[in-house]
């Protein structure tokens, strides 16, 4: 007589013989050789805060899709809250801003994602088409830096905190 246990074991052995293993078990993990993208580092940026003047999606003439949502990480949130005698002169290390560009004022499709992150005092940039996870631009592209140099420490959609009002 065959016990339940040995029937189960035989079924398991048969499954292995037929190659019915989950796909992930068949190949060794690939070594991770590339640094993660800024976008991967950002994770679910839609849960981040928004600058005060950018709580809603806004139309833009910039080359970032017709309508943009701007998201800021906690470093930028803390920077924006700073009240210093001379104002804040530059965004802090690890500051990160993500722009999501859409083709409509409400709903619509995500047509672009752009990211910037302050690393060792210099901004790193990435731009993506729509929902692709492969950046079209990354690093320090002249095209991004050139136009963004018009902003306060390269940010175009909101300003560094001013000095407190006098008196
Ligand atoms: C022709 C000018 C121009 C170029 C080129 C440009 N941007 Fe922008 N970008 C802007 C403007 C203007 C805004 C602000 C839009 C707004 O008011 O919401 C902006 C906003 C952003 C933001 C949100 C933070 C901020 O500065 O307001 C990111 C991130 C960004 N751009 C990334 C990029 C990247 C990456 C590139 C290069 C691939 C790039 N931009 C190229 C003009 C430009």
């Amino acid at each position: 007589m065959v016990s339940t246990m040995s029937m189960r074991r035989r079924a398991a052995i048969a499954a292995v013989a037929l190659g019915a293993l989950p796909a992930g078990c068949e190949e060794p993990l690939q070594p991770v050789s590339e640094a993660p993208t800024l976008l991967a580092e950002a994770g679910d940026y839609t849960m981040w805060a928004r600058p005060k003047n950018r709580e809603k999606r806004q139309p833009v003439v910039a080359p970032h899709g017709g309508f943009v949502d701007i998201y800021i990480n906690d470093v930028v949130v803390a920077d924006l809250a700073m009240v210093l005698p001379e104002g804040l002169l530059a965004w802090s290390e690890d500051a990160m801003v993500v722009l999501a560009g859409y083709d409509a004022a409400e709903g619509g499709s995500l047509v672009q994602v752009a990211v910037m992150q302050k690393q060792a005092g210099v901004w790193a940039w990435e731009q993506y088409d729509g929902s692709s996870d492969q950046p079209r631009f990354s690093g320090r592209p002249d095209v991004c830096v050139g136009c963004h140099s018009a902003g306060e420490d390269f940010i175009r959609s909101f300003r560094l905190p001013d000095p407190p009002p006098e008196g």
Side-chain angles (χ1 to χ4, degrees), residues 37-39 41-42 48 64 70-73 75-76 91-99 113-119 122-128 137-141 144-145 147-149 151-158:
T37 59
L38 302 182
L39 189 60
E41 214 180 300
W48 290 6
H64 286 310
I70 307 277
Y71 300 93
I72 52 179
N73 74 350
V75 174
V76 179
W91 301 102
S92 296
E93 193 63 13
D94 296 325
M96 212 166 174
V97 185
V98 179
L99 170 151
V113 178
V115 191
M116 51 199 290
Q117 184 191 47
K118 196 75 155 311
Q119 300 174 345
V122 183
W123 289 104
W125 309 76
E126 278 176 2
Q127 194 192 87
Y128 298 79
F137 295 97
S138 68
R140 308 212 156 83
C144 316
V145 176
C147 191
H148 274 258
S149 61
E152 290 184 343
D153 191 16
F154 297 96
I155 297 282
R156 298 286 315 259
S157 56
F158 54 94

Side-chain angles (χ1 to χ4, degrees), residues 44 76 110 128 131 141 163 165:
D44 189 2
V76 179
L110 183 66
Y128 298 79
S131 54

